[in-house]
Amino acid sequence: FQVSVGMAYALMVGTLNRVMIVELGVSAWLVALMVALPLLVAPFRALIGYRSDIHLSALGWRRVPYLWFGSLLQFGGLAIMPFALILLQPGADTQPGGAVIGHIAACLAFLMVGAGMQTTQTAGLALATDQAAPEARPRVVALMYVMLLLGMVLSSVLFSLVLQDFTATRLAGVVQGAAMLTMLFNTIALWKQEARGSVPRRSEASAPQPPFR
């Protein structure tokens, strides 16, 4: 999941940041706003982490539902992003409302990807901490962030190679490919990592839960 989050960071902050300004001719202030939208979700990570601490789904999971729905948000944002970028291309504003719809769809896509990344990363790091022995947790967290950096570096190199001969169709393929890889990586990441009904082993069900404040 950290690789998929790193890939999304590299795509939005690096590749799309440049492509939307240079190739698509979108105003730099608007691109800056879109790139900043995922950060609006960051303060809610405290609430997401708290809810995953006390949540107990019908299947006996705490972290997996948040990982899954975060992955779906990330996938959904990347899935609609190519269509928004098509509307942002030069000439799209000749269609009635095309540019406005493109801007709204692009902002929505960035916000969805940001919400998905923040949710997935918060629940995923919590799950990794749950699974690790106390003495191994610092090394596990360090490994998680190394994987985040590797995801950013490797995907940046891959994006640059694929988009060397830029076309709008190729850009759409890159974004859709990132969406598919996100679901693949995140499904592998959560597969059988949290045992059903394992919550009582982590904390007694009758123990009082600390309030969010």
Side-chain angles (χ1 to χ4, degrees):
F1 69 90
Q2 286 286 75
V3 175
S4 75
V5 170
M7 179 175 59
Y9 271 125
L11 182 65
M12 295 195 302
V13 178
T15 305
L16 291 178
N17 190 352
R18 190 264 190 194
V19 165
M20 286 193 295
I21 294 173
V22 179
E23 275 80 11
L24 302 183
V26 182
S27 299
W29 72 267
L30 184 58
V31 175
L33 176 64
M34 292 181 188
V35 172
L37 280 175
L39 297 178
L40 294 178
V41 191
F44 294 98
R45 289 183 65 150
L47 179 60
I48 293 168
Y50 172 75
R51 292 300 305 171
S52 71
D53 283 341
I54 66 172
H55 180 75
L56 179 60
S57 69
L59 296 177
W61 287 321
R62 276 185 171 177
R63 315 295 187 186
V64 168
Y66 288 87
L67 266 167
W68 179 245
F69 285 109
S71 301
L72 289 179
L73 276 172
Q74 200 172 329
F75 172 81
L78 291 172
I80 67 173
M81 195 174 288
F83 305 103
L85 295 177
I86 289 174
L87 293 175
L88 291 178
Q89 290 182 75
D93 54 357
T94 59
Q95 303 296 326
V100 175
I101 295 174
H103 291 155
I104 294 174
C107 288
L108 177 62
F110 273 81
L111 189 59
M112 287 178 64
V113 174
M117 289 193 307
Q118 306 287 2
T119 303
T120 298
Q121 195 175 40
T122 301
L125 289 171
L127 176 59
T129 305
D130 290 342
Q131 301 296 76
E135 64 274 9
R137 286 173 183 169
R139 297 194 299 275
V140 169
V141 174
L143 176 62
M144 294 293 101
Y145 278 96
V146 168
M147 297 308 295
L148 175 69
L149 295 174
L150 281 177
M152 294 175 69
V153 171
L154 295 177
S155 59
S156 297
V157 173
L158 180 61
F159 294 154
S160 66
L161 292 174
V162 174
L163 293 174
Q164 194 166 7
D165 298 321
F166 178 82
T167 63
T169 303
R170 184 167 291 186
L171 176 63
V174 166
V175 179
Q176 290 175 335
M180 296 302 296
L181 285 175
T182 292
M183 288 306 297
L184 175 64
F185 290 159
N186 290 5
T187 301
I188 293 172
L190 62 83
W191 186 256
K192 293 187 177 181
Q193 290 302 306
E194 187 176 32
R196 289 174 57 182
S198 62
V199 173
R201 289 201 294 271
R202 288 204 297 269
S203 61
E204 294 297 329
S206 59
Q209 296 292 345
F212 175 65
R213 185 181 297 276

